[in-house]
Amino acid sequence: MAYFFRRILLLLVTVFLVSLITFAVFQIIPGDPIRIMLGPEADEARVETLEKQLGLDQALPIQYVNWMSGVFTGDLGDSIRFSRPVSELIADRLPVTLSLAFLSIAIVIMVAIPLGIYIAKRPNTLRDFVFSSVTQVGMAIPSFWLGMILMLGLGMSFQFFSISGYVPWSESITGAIGSLLLPAITIAIPQIAISFRYIRNTILEQLQLDYVRTIRSKGITERAVIYRHVLRNAMIPILTVFGLIFAEVVAGTIIVEQVFGLPGFGSLLITSISYRDFPLIQGIVMYITIVVVIINFVIDMLYAVLDPRIRLGE
Amino acid sequence: MKRIRKYGKNINLVIGGSILLMFLIMMVVSFLYTPYDVNTMDIANKLLPPSGEHWFGTDEFGRDIFSRIMVGTQTAFFVGTVSVGIGMVLGVLIGGISGYLGGWVDEIIMRVIDALMAFPGIILALMLVAVFGSGMVNTSIALGLMAIPGIARIARSGFLQSKDAEYVQAARLMGQTQVRIMTKHILPNVMSPLIVAASIAFAVALLAEAGLSYLGLGVQPPDPSWGRMLKDSQGYLVSAPWYTYAPGVVITLMVLGFYMLSNAIRDISDPRSR
């Protein structure tokens, strides 16, 4: 139980600090943020109304408390560029980014784990060397360029992929997959490269332990050795790497959405930055980061489920 | 001699080192000479495919892509060096103090570091760009701040492990100051994981700069940037695919060079991994 309490406490502290950082960063903007947003020729009346509307005439701690309670109630004020509530704008874009992130993660899991196991069973062979070299290159390729290359190679030759724009799920399921699959593969490839190396090493380490020799000598099939025993024991390190990858995937969607012209969080964030729409930037950053923090919290909880030593632990 | 032969076997060092050496030479040469002027437009010769005259072809304004790639190395090294410099100085300072002092100072610093690391990398950079504005210098600063938490964590664990080591106790008994113990005794001993981290941070900064410039929020024209070139090339993906190949390949190569270098340094400095 102590483990759970400590994790929950850490979660709250992290969320508090993340919100404080997100709030504070926008306080160090040189000059008056309202004037920066409205441009040098803004008239005084407009500046004053906006200042009132955003609550910038109040003391900083009050501003922070107001904003923070808005994070929980979903009222983050209005976007300056779009004149609509920030939370509404975010909700509009949520399905695209969410679908893209889940599709990417699914691809990473489906490719990296089997591939990692396959190579771990054949260490230091030619295939191992080839895959290790290829994954090193995979980590070095800028994801957006990879997207452009895939678009050029696959998107242009196969009708199935739509290379620009988004088809909502409600309109056509195959259309939605067609519009999301290439971007998802683009985001997934560098993450497959990272997690493959990690999974290979973890499984390889496990295979050299005594318990594997024991269960093998009992005559279980190699399949059962891997999937029932080795993978289970390797699950904690693998979960750790997927926690890191989730954050990378979320960050990846931001850029890759731009390549494929998908209307998700990425394009909203880029627009808000170009227009210096500070309430909107703060809202997007805060929500994305909270999701990442919560996912990592869930993974911490899973550790305890998987490994009683952690649950009952020191 | 034995040492040299041993290093020669390290494929990462040979390939990674050669790639980076090539880019360094390219950068030095680009200050003195480029085949064509990088900003002179020549609309009559726009979007030419690679040839003997234009090795990598020309862009939509008829500018020589190879010359622009050459000058782009200056931007890449500038952004990488400045951001890794900021990340190393502040990261080692913060992490070192945290690990060496321990106690509540450590607890507070580590919680803030954890919170900073909770932001997915590019998001933190984008937020900082929104505050500081874009451009080469601001991008470098934003990426430098982004590098601090990772480096600080590594510095902290090094200082934490070494603070009660015998050589540190000996220095303490000799009456040396805390600052001197930290800089003259512990720092050199925890340097190798930090150099590995710096090499990785350089690669990450290059990728992030390319990403930000691609989004139009990083390096701004007329400063040449490979990421920016990729953004510009996207409009001609079908009609002039070679335009996108050159900048994409050089970014990948340079990042790969730093990754390989970091692997090589790790192998050399950590006898267990050999």
Side-chain angles (χ1 to χ4, degrees):
Chain A
M1 261 348 245
Y3 177 80
F4 289 100
F5 280 126
R6 181 161 166 79
R7 287 293 128 184
I8 289 168
L9 191 70
L10 277 179
L11 172 78
L12 294 176
V13 171
T14 307
V15 169
F16 169 68
L17 287 174
V18 161
S19 73
L20 205 59
I21 293 167
T22 311
F23 180 80
V25 159
F26 290 89
Q27 307 305 321
I28 54 173
I29 297 168
D32 184 351
I34 304 257
R35 277 173 214 280
I36 295 173
M37 283 188 274
L38 293 177
E41 277 123 56
D43 66 301
E44 285 306 310
R46 175 107 172 86
V47 170
E48 233 164 79
T49 351
L50 198 58
E51 209 160 61
K52 274 242 165 54
Q53 191 191 330
L54 294 175
L56 294 183
D57 48 349
Q58 286 162 312
L60 271 184
I62 297 174
Q63 283 185 40
Y64 171 72
V65 171
N66 286 343
W67 179 71
M68 193 55 203
S69 54
V71 170
F72 289 111
T73 56
D75 174 21
L76 287 172
D78 286 355
S79 151
I80 293 155
R81 156 91 180 122
F82 297 97
S83 312
R84 281 175 59 200
V86 168
S87 43
E88 219 177 280
L89 286 163
I90 290 178
D92 276 358
R93 305 296 186 105
L94 194 62
V96 182
T97 301
L98 221 52
S99 315
L100 193 54
F102 276 109
L103 203 54
S104 310
I105 291 271
I107 295 172
V108 176
I109 292 174
M110 284 188 301
V111 177
I113 293 181
L115 196 64
I117 292 172
Y118 178 80
I119 295 296
K121 286 198 269 184
R122 297 159 182 78
N124 305 320
T125 57
L126 181 65
R127 261 173 276 191
D128 186 11
F129 178 75
V130 169
F131 271 105
S132 298
S133 312
V134 169
T135 49
Q136 198 152 31
V137 177
M139 284 163 66
I141 295 183
S143 60
F144 54 96
W145 185 57
L146 190 65
M148 285 157 70
I149 299 293
L150 287 178
M151 214 188 239
L152 198 59
L154 296 173
M156 306 281 175
S157 6
F158 296 100
Q159 277 280 300
F160 176 70
F161 299 114
S162 94
I163 52 165
S164 189
Y166 170 67
V167 182
W169 292 96
S170 51
E171 209 169 282
S172 148
I173 288 177
T174 50
I177 293 177
S179 66
L180 290 173
L181 198 57
L182 267 192
I185 293 173
T186 305
I187 297 166
I189 286 177
Q191 306 313 322
I192 290 173
I194 296 170
S195 50
F196 158 74
R197 295 169 78 88
Y198 197 79
I199 291 165
R200 172 202 171 273
N201 294 343
T202 310
I203 302 267
L204 192 58
E205 231 165 67
Q206 288 286 331
L207 282 175
Q208 283 155 356
L209 295 180
D210 287 343
Y211 80 90
V212 175
R213 197 184 47 219
T214 311
I215 50 178
R216 268 191 189 142
S217 68
K218 279 166 43 182
I220 314 181
T221 59
E222 192 60 24
R223 229 187 137 69
V225 171
I226 297 282
Y227 287 94
R228 285 237 301 272
H229 298 276
V230 171
L231 197 56
R232 217 189 138 148
N233 277 297
M235 217 52 219
I236 289 200
I238 290 177
L239 267 178
T240 312
V241 81
F242 277 109
L244 297 174
I245 279 175
F246 185 83
E248 290 297 316
V249 164
V250 170
T253 58
I254 307 262
I255 294 188
V256 172
E257 273 174 15
Q258 293 297 105
V259 181
F260 290 90
L262 294 174
F265 273 5
S267 55
L268 190 64
L269 183 60
I270 306 306
T271 315
S272 66
I273 292 174
S274 341
Y275 286 98
R276 316 209 103 202
D277 189 341
F278 297 130
L280 190 52
I281 305 175
Q282 274 178 322
I284 298 172
V285 169
M286 191 62 204
Y287 277 128
I288 290 181
T289 309
I290 284 188
V291 169
V292 170
V293 169
I294 289 176
I295 293 278
N296 280 300
F297 170 76
V298 170
I299 286 176
D300 275 351
M301 294 289 102
L302 284 177
Y303 288 164
V305 174
L306 283 169
D307 189 345
R309 279 173 302 185
I310 293 177
R311 186 164 61 224
L312 306 167
E314 319 100 294
Chain B
M1 196 57 215
K2 203 178 159 195
R3 235 180 141 79
I4 293 171
R5 218 176 293 137
K6 190 173 69 197
Y7 287 6
K9 276 186 199 157
N10 193 329
I11 187 169
N12 279 324
L13 187 69
V14 174
I15 299 179
S18 313
I19 291 173
L20 296 180
L21 194 64
M22 182 192 81
F23 279 115
L24 262 177
I25 293 170
M26 199 189 253
M27 180 188 73
V28 173
V29 172
S30 74
F31 280 112
L32 308 168
Y33 168 80
T34 51
Y36 292 83
D37 183 80
V38 286
N39 288 319
T40 307
M41 300 187 189
D42 180 6
I43 300 295
N45 286 320
K46 67 173 185 177
L47 298 172
L48 291 180
S51 66
E53 273 135 65
H54 298 281
W55 288 2
F56 294 165
T58 59
D59 69 7
E60 75 273 32
F61 298 115
R63 298 175 298 192
D64 181 48
I65 294 179
F66 181 65
S67 303
R68 293 184 66 74
I69 293 277
M70 279 180 75
V71 178
T73 48
Q74 299 171 11
T75 309
F77 275 110
F78 177 86
V79 173
T81 310
V82 172
S83 60
V84 171
I86 293 173
M88 279 295 271
V89 170
L90 293 177
V92 171
L93 187 71
I94 295 169
I97 289 173
S98 184
Y100 187 77
L101 293 183
W104 60 269
V105 177
D106 182 41
E107 187 69 22
I108 291 174
I109 292 179
M110 285 324 288
R111 290 291 80 77
V112 175
I113 297 277
D114 280 350
L116 282 171
M117 290 189 91
F119 292 94
I122 194 89
I123 303 254
L124 195 59
L126 282 170
M127 191 163 76
L128 294 169
V129 164
V131 171
F132 295 124
S134 55
M136 195 154 84
V137 175
N138 285 344
T139 305
S140 309
I141 295 173
L143 297 180
L145 296 177
M146 193 178 104
I148 292 174
I151 292 172
R153 259 200 192 167
I154 292 165
R156 172 189 178 261
S157 73
F159 276 81
L160 191 65
Q161 278 168 18
S162 307
K163 70 173 178 185
D164 293 323
E166 277 175 16
Y167 70 90
V168 177
Q169 288 178 351
R172 229 174 255 144
L173 287 173
M174 285 162 70
Q176 299 196 352
T177 61
Q178 304 279 38
V179 175
R180 197 178 155 80
I181 290 172
M182 287 176 76
T183 54
K184 290 274 166 2
H185 295 280
I186 302 181
L187 189 59
N189 274 293
V190 299
M191 214 51 215
S192 49
L194 285 170
I195 294 173
V196 174
S199 184
I200 294 172
F202 208 113
V204 171
L206 287 173
L207 278 177
E209 182 273 316
L212 288 176
S213 299
Y214 172 80
L215 295 173
L217 298 168
V219 176
Q220 300 295 324
D223 292 330
S225 150
W226 297 334
R228 182 87 200 180
M229 289 173 80
L230 283 178
K231 177 189 172 69
D232 296 337
S233 78
Q234 199 177 1
Y236 310 94
L237 210 49
V238 183
S239 56
W242 61 84
Y243 187 177
T244 200
Y245 293 148
V249 168
V250 289
I251 295 171
T252 308
L253 265 182
M254 197 160 168
V255 173
L256 189 63
F258 277 103
Y259 277 147
M260 293 181 103
L261 186 70
S262 72
N263 283 338
I265 300 168
R266 183 178 308 145
D267 289 347
I268 293 165
S269 62
D270 183 4
R272 269 167 308 177
S273 65
R274 261 203 301 272

